[in-house]
Amino acid sequence: MLKWQIDEHIIARKFTLDDAASVFAVVDSNRIYLRQWMPWLDQTTSVANIEQFIQKAQEGYANGTNLILGLWDNTQFVGVISFNKIDGASAEIGYWISENYQGKGIIRRAVKLLIEYGFQDLNLATVNIQCATNNLKSHAVAQRLGFAQVKTIPNNEWLYDHYVDHALYVLTQSDSPY
């Protein structure tokens, strides 16, 4: 099983179906906080929805089209880091963390390991991060990890009742310090 030690307490690992109830509990208790940036909350209303998500993550891992890992503080689920889509030599990074774990550098450290894995083990040429233009914390993650903002994509995502523009950040293997 793929498992990374992020710091003294946090690990990243692949999901199992046994994780569904604890993942749903964290999603449900962070619903208002996550709603600022995550467009999937209205479709995530039960443990069964999380089980479907985990099954798709497992299928994507098996066929090489994604890598979705849960973040765990010992046995407590706290968030997700992922290659949402792996397409040939490029991959798109996604992440979120529960509100009470925000601001501790966990996402930055976890995404750094994901980038290293992508460049060294998957031989990716580029990785990218897209985030809403007003999601300053996601911008900070990308910038601290050496990504370059290459463009703004207008009206890129429907977020419940409005469109949001996205910033596209790119890091190439040749420019990567990892």
Side-chain angles (χ1 to χ4, degrees), residues 3-69:
K3 182 177 172 180
W4 297 330
Q5 194 73 40
I6 305 301
D7 62 26
E8 184 179 336
H9 300 286
I10 306 294
I11 63 163
R13 66 166 171 80
K14 292 191 312 185
F15 288 102
T16 70
L17 286 175
D18 292 338
D19 298 326
S22 59
V23 172
F24 180 74
V26 171
V27 168
D28 205 38
S29 67
N30 281 268
R31 197 168 289 277
I32 292 170
Y33 166 71
L34 292 173
R35 194 172 178 82
Q36 298 173 80
W37 312 117
M38 301 294 148
W40 43 262
L41 290 162
D42 287 353
Q43 292 78 40
T44 307
T45 58
S46 69
V47 172
N49 297 135
I50 299 297
E51 289 171 343
Q52 291 170 342
F53 161 75
I54 291 171
Q55 287 171 333
K56 288 181 182 176
Q58 290 171 337
E59 291 167 10
Y61 180 76
N63 66 29
T65 59
N66 72 34
L67 174 60
I68 301 173
L69 305 174

Side-chain angles (χ1 to χ4, degrees), residues 103-165:
K104 298 179 182 194
I106 295 167
I107 289 293
R108 181 186 45 77
R109 289 190 303 275
V111 170
K112 179 181 178 281
L113 287 175
L114 189 65
I115 294 165
E116 290 172 355
Y117 179 77
F119 287 150
Q120 295 169 13
D121 295 297
L122 301 180
N123 200 31
L124 297 174
T126 62
V127 292
N128 65 62
I129 294 174
Q130 281 191 45
C131 58
T133 54
N134 54 352
N135 185 343
L136 301 181
K137 291 180 181 181
S138 278
H139 285 271
V141 168
Q143 292 164 356
R144 286 184 183 132
L145 290 170
F147 284 73
Q149 184 175 348
V150 296
K151 68 178 175 178
T152 299
I153 308 165
N155 298 317
N156 192 59
E157 182 175 50
W158 180 253
L159 195 58
Y160 303 105
D161 61 357
H162 65 286
Y163 282 101
V164 293
D165 299 345

